[in-house]
């Protein structure tokens, strides 16, 4: 009986320590040092090498080390029947909320112009500061709901969009189920993408969508890089549909030096820092699920493989 952590690009020392402190007798292996895969009952994954999971013949539980599970679902060696869980952590939710808040407040104060004026020693009261922002949150899962509620609480007009119908007090919610994407896009001038990455949402931030947005809108992408068609964002900036964007996730990370985005002052890139899993909290949650699995109890934050989230 043992646990394997397969997260090649992460320092998982704190996670190992947390799990070890809870499970004194259980062996915890870390990729690539997994001598007896057949003993492993639970794997903890973050961007693991694909087609690797079939080494584990006694797997009972798969845990994502983050909120997203697209890195797991896209692995075709994924055993069927083994439940997959993800991290839903208040700290993760709060840091995502703060990141999006930072973006929207920067849009609100037109910080781009302020930086420009500062560099030229210009004191200018830019009337754009008075503009009213209508923020649309695309994806109303744990993170999206929290962002919507808190942006509303600080005084923004907030709208929501999700695939299935959702209700949030005081927030107008649109859905794909009711074919309301165009209505949603026409109601907002800031789009925040926090959708999970699935076959249905891949490339959703494309020219067709940008063309339906109110001119001079803003974009925040904290979902996944593959939601965005990079060239279409550049076109949307050039043709005035998008005035400014904050991107935290990219089709290729780290963003290559030759990438087009670096040439556009309208795009602010952050290196996937919007919300980073706290390994101690994650370890506690993963351990709780391991305990539940061993006792045949219901697991926490299980994802639906069909839906992809
Ligand atoms: C981060 O990107 C996560 O999915 O937790």
């Amino acid at each position: 009986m043992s646990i394997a952590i397969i997260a090649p690009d992460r320092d998982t020392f704190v996670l190992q320590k947390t799990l070890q402190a809870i499970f004194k007798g259980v062996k915890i292996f870390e990729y690539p040092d997994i001598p007896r895969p057949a003993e492993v009952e639970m794997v903890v994954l973050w961007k693991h090498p694909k087609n690797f999971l079939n080494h584990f013949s006694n797997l009972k539980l798969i845990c994502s080390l983050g909120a997203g599970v697209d890195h797991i679902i896209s692995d075709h060696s994924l055993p069927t029947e083994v439940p997959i869980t993800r991290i839903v952590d208040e700290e993760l939710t709060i840091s995502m909320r703060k990141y999006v808040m930072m973006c929207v407040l920067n849009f609100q104060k037109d910080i781009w112009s302020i930086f420009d004026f500062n560099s030229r020693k210009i004191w200018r009261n830019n009337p754009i500061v008075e503009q009213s922002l209508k923020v649309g949150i695309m994806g109303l899962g744990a993170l999206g709901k929290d962002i919507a509620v808190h942006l509303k609480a600080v005084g923004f007009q907030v709208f929501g969009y999700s695939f299935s119908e959702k209700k949030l007090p005081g927030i107008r919610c649109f859905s794909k189920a009711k074919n309301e994407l165009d209505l949603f896009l026409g109601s907002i001038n800031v789009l925040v993408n926090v959708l999970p990455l699935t076959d249905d949402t891949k490339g959703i931030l494309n020219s067709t969508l940008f063309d339906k947005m109110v001119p001079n809108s803003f974009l925040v992408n904290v979902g996944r890089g593959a939601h965005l068609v990079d060239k279409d964002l550049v076109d949307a900036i050039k043709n005035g549909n998008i005035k400014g964007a904050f991107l935290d996730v990219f089709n290729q990370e780290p963003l290559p030096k030759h990438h087009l985005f670096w040439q556009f002052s309208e795009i602010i890139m952050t290196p996937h820092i919007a919300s980073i899993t706290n390994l101690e909290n994650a370890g506690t949650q993963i351990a709780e699920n391991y305990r539940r699995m061993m006792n045949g109890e219901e697991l926490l934050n299980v994802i639906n493989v069909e839906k992809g989230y």
Side-chain angles (χ1 to χ4, degrees), residues 132-282:
S132 77
L133 293 187
K134 298 180 183 140
V135 189
I137 313 297
M138 202 177 198
L140 296 174
L143 297 173
K145 261 190 223 162
D146 178 89
I147 295 166
V149 167
H150 286 88
L151 282 172
K152 186 174 163 58
V154 296
F156 288 105
Q157 282 191 67
V158 181
F159 299 81
Y161 177 83
S162 51
F163 274 35
S164 56
E165 268 188 81
K166 296 262 163 70
K167 282 198 167 52
L168 285 178
I171 293 173
R172 180 146 183 225
C173 292
F174 301 95
S175 70
K176 183 177 180 195
K178 288 170 80 182
N179 208 10
E180 293 173 321
L181 180 61
D182 294 6
L183 214 54
F184 168 69
L185 295 172
S187 311
I188 61 171
N189 52 12
V190 180
L191 176 64
V192 177
N193 173 48
V194 64
L195 283 167
L197 182 66
T198 66
D199 288 345
D200 287 336
T201 65
K202 190 163 185 236
I204 193 168
L205 302 174
N206 59 28
S207 287
T208 314
L209 178 142
F210 294 137
D211 287 347
K212 290 176 182 160
M213 292 183 70
V214 173
N216 288 319
S217 284
F218 296 100
L219 172 73
V220 179
N221 189 17
V222 284
R224 285 287 183 251
H227 283 128
L228 177 65
V229 180
D230 293 359
K231 189 188 160 298
D232 290 5
L233 173 61
V234 168
D235 290 345
I237 286 176
K238 286 186 183 157
N239 68 27
N241 283 337
I242 296 289
K243 183 173 179 194
F246 270 93
L247 307 179
D248 187 55
V249 286
F250 301 88
N251 276 296
Q252 196 183 337
E253 294 178 12
L255 189 66
K257 289 218 185 314
H258 62 264
H259 198 284
L260 223 50
F261 287 166
W262 297 110
Q263 297 170 23
F264 288 82
S265 59
E266 293 89 342
I267 308 176
I268 296 192
M269 287 87 73
T270 56
H272 207 138
I273 49 154
S275 178
I276 297 165
T277 308
N278 173 316
L279 291 184
E280 208 174 322
N281 295 355

Side-chain angles (χ1 to χ4, degrees), residues 57-117:
S57 48
N58 285 309
L59 208 52
K60 297 198 173 58
L61 181 58
I62 297 173
C63 303
S64 169
L65 191 49
V69 289
D70 46 294
H71 59 107
I72 298 179
I73 306 275
S74 58
D75 183 350
H76 299 299
S77 72
L78 201 63
T80 45
E81 312 290 313
V82 179
I84 303 171
T85 63
R86 70 190 194 103
I87 301 296
V88 178
D89 174 33
E90 205 193 356
E91 216 170 295
L92 200 117
T93 308
I94 293 173
S95 77
M96 182 62 92
R97 175 204 306 168
K98 287 177 180 165
Y99 180 93
V100 174
M101 194 75 76
M102 177 274 294
C103 302
V104 177
L105 292 174
N106 273 297
F107 297 145
Q108 178 69 53
K109 295 295 178 198
D110 190 19
I111 216 75
W112 278 266
S113 301
I114 307 256
F115 282 162
D116 176 44
F117 296 155

Side-chain angles (χ1 to χ4, degrees), residues 121-133:
K121 302 186 185 158
I122 296 172
W123 179 275
R124 187 179 297 166
N125 187 349
N126 192 344
I128 199 152
V129 169
E130 302 308 324
Q131 77 185 337
S132 77
L133 293 187

